[in-house]
Structure formats: structure tokens, C-alpha cells
Amino acid sequence: MDVLLSTDKICKSFMGNKVLNDISIDIHKGECLALVGENGAGKSTLMKIICGIYKADSGSIRVNGKIVNINRPSEAQDQGIAIIHQELNLIPNLTVAQNIFLGKEKTRGIIIDDKNLNSEAELLAMKLGVKINPDQLVSTLTVAEQQITEIVKVLSQNADIIIMDEPTASLSIEETGQLFEIINELRKSGKGIIYISHRLEEIYKVAQRICVLRDGRLVNTFITEDTQIDAIVKSMVGQSISEFYVKHTYEVGEVAIRVENLSCKKEFYDISFEVREGEVLGIAGLMGAGQTPLARCIYGLDKIDSGSIVIGEKKLKNHLPSISIANSLGLVTENRKEEGLILQMSIKENIGLSPWAPISNQKGIINKKKENDLANHSIEKYDIKANSPHQETVLLSGGNQQKVAIAKVLATNPKVVILCEPTRGVDVNGKVEIYNIMNQLLEQKKAVILISSEIPEILGMSDRIMVIYKGRIVYEAKNIDLKQEDIMAYATGGHQNG
């Protein structure tokens, strides 16, 4: 295969800290190359150098065999390099076609030729085997449709080297499958794809080779079909995949929460279950199956149509989150950046954000010593890696941000904790640390509801498993000898319970 792009001994330091050390990789025509590693391994820095956002301290980049100087993003684009960021870069109040051709619109005189833009956008989409509505506002698109728009935009720039950063983070299983089909079409047309993901299982479905970065160095390059996932994990973090799921088993106590015949609009119907002290109930299902709305209704963020929630002896119905917190219920939301944290605030301020955190007096006046003590205690207890409690949360890695979000919820000392996608966008070591926090909760006789789209996580960390399909419970059982394919069969409507 012809080499589209290669880096040779790329080095980069920030304030004397070497974050990339002699990185040499290449990407071929018609190839998808996976780039994996923990947060802080150097993946993003390397991609920013390739895309002209950063300049390397030393080393070189070749495109089609020729050394090129890439000092700004426009120069990367001129070399046929494009990146699709995890947080998509589209203008919501413009149409699909207007976003695709932004800055390079064809005009009739001084008027933008929208008809021409729409036709060109449709033709580009056809090359991928997908359909788009070029007139549709981006603000009305699903995440998957926005991602397709970004890919078509890249094609309009004649990019031959396409970098995808965590492209499936917000996609359902069906949408992920569609993305893989698009990637295969891009490969067939001779494009080279650099694919960054924490989801190792999906890499085996899409990548031909896997490059592993650790501590700023390239430690291994694997041929995907010849490599077991355990070898990838060991290269990334120096431990086996069997050490991922560090679930401890504890003697269960009394029923901590009981959900009775809960229904909400068209989101879910007649949901009943209970969770005991020291127990994890794992709730699995495809994106949109109803598990997230269920968590929101239990917590009081959304209203229910019928049914009730019982915590201890207290029955809740159409309650507010403040009532939930007062009754020892905590929720870690799936979107930490928008719903779980205020990123511009410090770690200390985020952890003490809840009015129920034990840092203020009866008049609501914050005691600074208690606030500092709570933050320092949480940083130590949950192993939050930070310079100080005063550090802005936005400066932390994804895994440490998530631990701050969890610490904020646990500061109110809930007896029941709902964890929605607690390890989304978190690297391998960060996942293990979050699983250790779950074990701490169980040891303290807390009840945990784990909602996750990652079935290995559900299997690895749950005592009992419940599967939701189209808003209804289709399976519930103790987690004994259950297999991933069995859970997936129920989650996709393959067969019903019993």
C-alpha cells in the first residue's frame, strides 16, 4: 500500500515536560489505523501537530513521500488532512449544505447559489452511500446525522487523510454500524483514516492496524487480525484485561429503593424493580431504549405519568431533585460537561456545589474550612489527580472530571446512587478507578444502579442485570454465567424474557 502520511521522530514538550518522544507512525491508502492510549498518552498532541494546531519541536511530517511544513490548520487542509473532533464543529442555525461548503460557497453574482450547494452536497453523500437533506438545519439533526455532515464536509475539502476522534462516543449501536460502513467506503476510495477511541472492542471491527501510545512514546504497533485485545490493554497500561472489572461482592442488606409500575409518556412503560444495600443493578439497553429517561424520572428531573418510587419507607411521586437528595438519592448524569459539572469552576467549588453538601450552616453560609476539608478528602479518597483543589475542573482529564462529578454527588452521602454511563470517554486506568469507587459504595452498604451502553461493563460490575428494549423490561436475572451475546439479543429485541 502507498503511504499517504508519515511522521518521523516527532517530539514535543510543554514547559519542559516532554509529551511526545520520537513518535514515528504511517498511514496507508485504503487503511484505517487505530490510535489508542490512556488520557495523557499523547494522542491529541500528535494529532494537533499533524493538523497544524501545534508545531513539533523536532521531527518531520511527510505527505505522499514529501516533507511538508504544517504551521497552521489551513496548511494541513491544503495537504489533504482533516480532523473530525469528538465535539462536532458545525453551526446549528445553518443548513447541512451551508455547513458543508462554509467559506467556499458558489455564488450567482453576489448571491449564494443554494441550489448548487444542495446538489453538490447530495452528490458527495451519495459517494458514501448515505442520504442527507441538504436544506435541513443542523440544529434539528441527530448526533449521527451531524457526524455524517462533518464527514461530507471533509470530502468537500478533498481530504485524503481523515482523523476521527472518539467518533462513536454519542452514537447508538445501529448508528455506529452505519459509521463503520462509511469508513469502509472511504477506505475503498483510497482514503486513510486515523481512528482514536477508548472502545477497544469496536477497533477490531474497523481498523487494520493499531498503534499504542504510552507516556508520550509509541510502544507497539499491532496487526489487528493477529492480536488479542489483552495484548492491547497490556501495552496501554501494563495490566491484563482480566483486571478491568474489579467488582467485589458484599452481603446484601435491606431493600434500599423500590420502583413500582413506573411509566412516562412514550419513553418507558410499567417499570418495576428493587435494589438492595450492597448491590449493583446493571441496566442495559441500546441508546434510546428508555434507560436514561428512567433515571431522570426516578431522580425527579422529569415527571412520571404513573407509578412511584420508594426509598426506605418514603414514597416519592412527581418529586423534585431536591426531594430526592433529601431522601438520600444521588444521580451521576451521563453528560458531565453540560449537566454534571461547571467546568470553569474549581474542583473544590464543584464538589461542594450541592446545597446538601456538609459545608454550610443553617443559613446557607459556606464554611471555607469545611469546603476545603471536603475537597481535600474527596481528592484523596477518589484519587483525583490534580495540582490542588483550586484547579479549574476544565483542566483535568476526562477520567478525573468524572471523578469530580461523582464526588459532588457523593458529598451529600446518598444511600442510593444512580450512575449513568460513568466511564464514557474515560481511559482504561480511569475506568478501573471508577470501578473502585463503586466498590467503596458497596462496602458502605450503598445501593447502586449502573446504566451503561457497554455490555462488558454491565457484565463485569453488576450483581443483577435488567435489559430494557423499547421502554419495557425484557430480561432480568442474577449475573451468573451470562454472556455478552445473550444481553445483546435481548437489547436488540431478539427474544423476550422467559
Side-chain angles (χ1 to χ4, degrees):
M1 288 188 290
D2 296 327
V3 176
L4 284 174
L5 177 142
S6 61
T7 69
D8 183 38
K9 297 184 177 179
I10 294 290
C11 294
K12 181 67 177 176
S13 297
F14 293 104
M15 300 178 67
N17 178 34
K18 203 159 196 175
V19 295
L20 291 179
N21 197 339
D22 287 342
I23 303 292
S24 298
I25 66 169
D26 51 44
I27 177 74
H28 302 89
K29 285 185 178 179
E31 178 187 38
C32 179
L33 174 73
L35 188 65
V36 302
E38 295 188 275
N39 289 333
K43 304 185 301 296
S44 295
T45 301
L46 179 61
M47 293 304 102
K48 287 177 179 178
I49 288 172
I50 292 172
C51 292
I53 298 170
Y54 294 157
K55 184 171 177 59
D57 297 334
S58 61
S60 62
I61 298 173
R62 292 178 183 267
V63 175
N64 293 316
K66 295 181 180 179
I67 292 180
V68 295
N69 291 315
I70 301 175
N71 298 309
R72 55 182 62 90
S74 60
E75 292 178 353
Q77 186 174 322
D78 291 341
Q79 296 294 337
I81 302 168
I83 185 167
I84 299 172
H85 295 280
Q86 182 178 351
E87 296 179 3
L88 302 175
N89 189 24
L90 298 170
I91 299 175
N93 60 341
L94 294 182
T95 68
V96 168
Q98 287 167 347
N99 267 279
I100 289 170
F101 295 104
L102 188 64
K104 49 186 184 295
E105 299 89 347
K106 293 184 179 179
T107 60
R108 290 179 296 174
I110 60 172
I111 305 298
I112 292 175
D113 188 350
D114 281 315
K115 184 176 180 181
N116 182 279
L117 297 186
N118 291 346
S119 297
E120 289 292 324
E122 287 182 322
L123 285 172
L124 287 169
M126 285 175 60
K127 290 181 181 179
L128 292 176
V130 298
K131 290 184 179 181
I132 59 171
N133 180 355
D135 270 330
Q136 190 171 356
L137 287 178
V138 162
S139 60
T140 66
L141 301 180
T142 65
V143 173
E145 290 167 337
Q146 289 182 37
Q147 199 160 57
I148 289 171
T149 302
E150 283 274 24
I151 295 171
V152 176
K153 183 178 179 180
V154 162
L155 288 184
S156 76
Q157 299 167 358
N158 295 315
D160 290 322
I161 302 142
I162 303 169
I163 301 165
M164 296 185 177
D165 186 6
E166 295 286 353
T168 64
S170 300
L171 300 186
S172 68
I173 291 174
E174 293 92 338
E175 290 167 341
T176 297
Q178 183 184 25
L179 175 65
F180 291 168
E181 290 174 6
I182 291 172
I183 289 173
N184 284 329
E185 288 299 318
L186 292 170
R187 287 181 50 236
K188 288 176 185 176
S189 67
K191 309 293 185 186
I193 314 293
I194 300 177
Y195 188 95
I196 302 171
S197 179
H198 286 121
R199 297 182 175 181
L200 299 184
E201 294 88 352
E202 70 185 26
I203 284 171
Y204 278 79
K205 299 177 182 178
V206 74
Q208 287 68 58
R209 289 188 301 135
I210 303 168
C211 286
V212 181
L213 297 187
R214 186 172 72 207
D215 298 329
R217 294 179 180 273
L218 178 66
V219 293
N220 260 314
T221 299
F222 297 101
I223 304 297
T224 309
E225 63 182 4
D226 298 335
T227 307
Q228 297 295 318
I229 193 170
D230 199 48
I232 308 298
V233 173
K234 284 182 178 178
S235 288
M236 289 171 61
V237 296
Q239 64 182 13
S240 168
I241 193 170
S242 62
E243 299 173 70
F244 260 29
Y245 304 110
V246 289
K247 170 73 167 63
H248 299 165
T249 301
Y250 297 91
E251 183 178 349
V252 299
E254 300 296 322
V255 173
I257 182 170
R258 181 180 295 110
V259 172
E260 300 175 335
N261 306 115
L262 214 63
S263 296
C264 176
K265 300 176 183 176
K266 296 181 180 180
E267 299 287 357
F268 56 84
Y269 313 89
D270 199 26
I271 301 290
S272 297
F273 64 84
E274 63 183 32
V275 190
R276 294 179 175 270
E277 298 167 344
E279 180 184 39
V280 178
L281 172 67
I283 301 180
L286 303 182
M287 189 175 292
Q291 61 272 43
T292 298
L294 173 63
R296 292 177 61 86
C297 284
I298 292 172
Y299 190 64
L301 286 168
D302 297 329
K303 300 297 182 184
I304 60 175
D305 292 334
S306 59
S308 62
I309 301 105
V310 181
I311 300 176
E313 300 298 323
K314 179 76 172 182
K315 179 174 284 191
L316 309 178
K317 184 176 180 181
N318 287 332
H319 52 291
L320 297 173
S322 56
I323 301 298
S324 295
I325 298 171
N327 284 277
S328 298
L329 176 62
L331 169 68
V332 178
T333 60
E334 65 178 315
N335 189 337
R336 63 176 174 267
K337 291 185 177 181
E338 293 183 12
E339 298 178 335
L341 298 167
I342 300 176
L343 293 176
Q344 281 67 40
M345 291 175 63
S346 69
I347 298 168
K348 177 185 72 173
E349 290 167 329
N350 268 291
I351 291 174
L353 196 58
S354 171
W356 281 264
I359 61 172
S360 57
N361 61 22
Q362 292 181 342
K363 296 181 179 180
I365 298 172
I366 292 174
N367 182 310
K368 291 296 182 182
K369 184 180 184 304
K370 288 184 178 180
E371 185 183 35
N372 284 323
D373 288 346
L374 175 63
N376 286 317
H377 174 73
S378 298
I379 287 171
E380 182 179 357
K381 184 175 182 179
Y382 306 125
D383 195 21
I384 298 168
K385 296 175 179 63
N387 295 331
S388 81
H390 305 287
Q391 186 174 350
E392 283 188 15
T393 311
V394 72
L395 300 176
L396 302 179
S397 69
N400 284 297
Q401 286 182 9
Q402 185 70 341
K403 285 188 280 185
V404 173
I406 293 171
K408 184 197 75 173
V409 172
L410 299 186
T412 65
N413 195 29
K415 294 179 181 177
V416 180
V417 182
I418 305 173
L419 300 172
C420 289
E421 303 290 352
T423 65
R424 176 177 288 171
V426 175
D427 64 29
V428 175
N429 266 346
K431 287 185 177 184
V432 172
E433 290 168 348
I434 290 170
Y435 300 149
N436 283 329
I437 293 173
M438 290 177 62
N439 284 321
Q440 291 179 27
L441 296 176
L442 298 178
E443 189 175 14
Q444 297 163 16
K445 292 295 182 183
K446 313 284 189 186
V448 177
I449 299 172
L450 171 63
I451 295 175
S452 176
S453 57
E454 295 190 26
I455 294 176
E457 181 169 88
I458 289 285
L459 286 168
M461 294 304 297
S462 303
D463 297 295
R464 288 186 299 116
I465 293 175
M466 185 172 86
V467 184
I468 296 181
Y469 174 69
K470 292 186 176 179
R472 298 185 185 277
I473 298 172
V474 293
Y475 182 79
E476 185 175 358
K478 289 185 177 180
N479 186 9
I480 301 174
D481 297 327
L482 297 179
K483 294 182 174 60
Q484 184 167 338
E485 53 267 32
D486 296 329
I487 303 301
M488 182 59 69
Y490 283 106
T492 55
H495 48 79
Q496 302 293 304
N497 199 11

